[in-house]
Amino acid sequence: MAIGIIIFDWGDTLMRDFPHLAGPMVHWPQVEVLPGVQATLADLQARHVLVAASNAGDSDADLMRRALDRGGIGRFFQHVFTSRELGAAKPAPEFFLEICRRINVDPAECIMVGNDYDKDIAGARRAAMRTIWLAAGSTPADTSAADVTVASMADVPEAVQEIESAVLRGRAIEAVKDLQQQSIEKGTNRLQMDDIDAEIRAVRRKRHTRGSDG
């Protein structure tokens, strides 16, 4: 199944989260889009549906989109979701699965990009999505839930291509295995038919022999 959807976390993935500022981000005295975000979104938008999704404690989807617009990146996103509308919060798999349900896609078609390993990456993996971890700060002992780890948003397009290539390789391997299995089954069928033909010939020979003796 091809990758068609890329889901981005919001705070400290797309836009900087200032802990000392309270209330919805759109009302903050300052907002900041993180380095590399604009170019990355412009690159990916041409080939993928982009989604922004966040727990967003003080914002609903409308306020979140207005904040994205204020930062000049709202136009890149076809869908925006917060835990308020989804009825679940990261890292619960239901958060990610509800996004898939609402936009009518399979989790296997999605890549989750986020900076919080436990909430964004491990949570999305439990929902059967592929993942790109924007590593920042300390690294957990187990990072196996991340398909690819990147140091900056500028690295995300290449990481997406890496995952897509791996998916294509996996599909090619499965196709070869299917062909091999079909060949084996056809070969088995041929052997079975050869055995049946041999039995028929043997019976005919016996009948012919009996007729000659009589």
Side-chain angles (χ1 to χ4, degrees), residues 5 8 10 18 24 28 34 57 68-69 72 77 85 91 94 106 116 118 125 142-143 149 157 160 168 170 196 203 205:
I5 313 297
F8 289 88
W10 182 23
F18 295 105
W28 289 358
L34 291 173
L68 293 168
D69 287 340
F77 295 97
E85 294 81 35
E94 291 76 16
D106 190 276
D116 189 310
D118 292 326
R125 173 62 72 191
D142 179 12
T143 60
T149 299
V160 169
L168 290 174
I196 291 170
V203 169
R205 282 197 300 270

Side-chain angles (χ1 to χ4, degrees), residues 19-42:
H20 64 283
L21 296 177
M25 184 186 289
V26 68
H27 300 318
W28 289 358
Q30 65 182 103
V31 295
E32 179 183 343
V33 174
L34 291 173
V37 167
Q38 290 265 6
T40 289
L41 297 179

Side-chain angles (χ1 to χ4, degrees), residues 84-142:
R84 293 189 183 191
E85 294 81 35
L86 298 173
K90 296 180 292 184
E94 291 76 16
F95 176 93
F96 305 95
L97 294 174
E98 181 62 15
I99 292 173
C100 292
R101 189 191 70 79
R102 291 188 178 217
I103 62 178
N104 194 30
V105 296
D106 190 276
E109 299 175 67
C110 303
I111 296 175
M112 176 67 197
V113 182
N115 71 299
D116 189 310
Y117 182 83
D118 292 326
K119 291 182 179 179
D120 299 326
I121 305 307
R125 173 62 72 191
R126 286 194 290 272
M129 291 184 180
R130 292 175 175 82
T131 58
I132 297 173
W133 179 37
L134 180 61
S138 59
T139 301
D142 179 12

Side-chain angles (χ1 to χ4, degrees), residues 179-195:
L179 287 173
Q180 289 174 336
Q181 184 60 36
Q182 290 172 19
S183 296
I184 290 170
E185 290 172 354
K186 287 178 180 178
T188 301
N189 290 338
R190 287 195 203 97
L191 289 173
Q192 289 173 343
M193 289 302 298
D194 289 344
D195 291 341

